[in-house]
Amino acid sequence: MPRLAFGMNLSLDGYIAAPGDDLGWSVPSDELFQWWSDRVGATGLSLYGRRLWETMSSHWPTADQQPGATPAEIEYARRWRDMPKVVFSSTTRTVDWNTRLVTSDAVTEITRLKAGDGGPMDIAGATLAAGAMRAGLIDEYAIVTHPVLVGGGTPFFAALGNWVHLTLVETRMFPDGVVLTRYETRR
């Protein structure tokens, strides 16, 4: 059964984007960028909400062809294009780059995917992840905390009806005071 992980860059006060969807505070060091790239390379299937899909698909399909693209950006772009993806949206009409569109209930489809075969799955996008959190579908949280307070924006965690107990499985320091903490859900 595939495991489902939710991981994103986070401000110290718990946001994945500052007001106005500003992500300027979360620019990764080379070491952190490589960690994210390796994570994409190890992912069997990535699940996207519409907003994050639009952000990623507007940049990564051709990022390796941009003047000045670094070897790490070229590698990440290739990995991102090759990785199987599912986009959950009721308004998006077409997707590309090894991607399938789902317009039906996300929690039902994620439950079905988790019951099947395959490698690890990542869920990306706060709104999509919130539904999976509330349904108890997330097996791992990878929190990459940046030492900045943004004061509001899009929160990483959704309001939950029940407590979710977690077990710390990894901590790692990155340059600039960025800290990775990975937790598994205790079942």
Side-chain angles (χ1 to χ4, degrees):
M1 177 185 316
R3 293 177 44 80
L4 180 61
F6 178 37
M8 295 193 80
N9 291 307
L10 208 71
S11 65
L12 186 60
D13 52 349
Y15 297 96
I16 60 173
D21 290 331
D22 184 352
L23 300 173
W25 55 269
S26 65
V27 175
S29 65
D30 291 343
E31 184 181 342
L32 178 56
F33 187 84
Q34 187 63 54
W35 182 85
W36 281 116
S37 183
D38 291 345
R39 188 170 176 89
V40 166
T43 297
L45 179 65
S46 189
L47 312 177
Y48 280 94
R50 179 193 54 81
R51 287 177 58 199
L52 190 54
W53 165 254
E54 288 173 353
T55 299
M56 297 294 283
S57 67
S58 70
H59 178 72
W60 288 110
T62 60
D64 56 338
Q65 300 161 24
Q66 301 305 311
T70 67
E73 290 168 331
I74 292 168
E75 176 185 54
Y76 186 92
R78 179 190 51 78
R79 287 175 166 177
W80 187 86
R81 280 192 309 264
D82 291 348
M83 176 182 55
K85 297 170 279 300
V86 175
V87 173
F88 294 87
S89 174
S90 60
T91 58
T92 301
R93 296 291 167 236
T94 60
V95 293
D96 206 345
W97 308 288
N98 202 18
T99 305
R100 177 172 65 92
L101 178 64
V102 173
T103 58
S104 59
D105 180 65
V107 169
T108 301
E109 179 64 10
I110 295 168
T111 301
R112 187 190 72 74
L113 290 168
K114 282 193 59 148
D117 294 328
M121 297 188 302
D122 272 347
I123 191 165
T127 303
L128 180 62
M133 268 186 232
R134 285 190 288 275
L137 296 173
I138 297 180
D139 301 299
E140 176 187 314
Y141 294 88
I143 302 167
V144 179
T145 306
H146 293 251
V148 61
L149 303 171
V150 298
T154 306
F156 179 83
F157 290 105
L160 301 173
N162 299 307
W163 292 7
V164 177
H165 295 278
L166 305 170
T167 301
L168 179 66
V169 294
E170 180 184 6
T171 59
R172 180 173 170 185
M173 294 286 299
F174 288 96
D176 305 319
V178 175
V179 178
L180 163 70
T181 50
R182 276 192 329 110
Y183 297 91
E184 288 183 349
T185 302
R186 277 193 258 154
R187 306 241 186 243

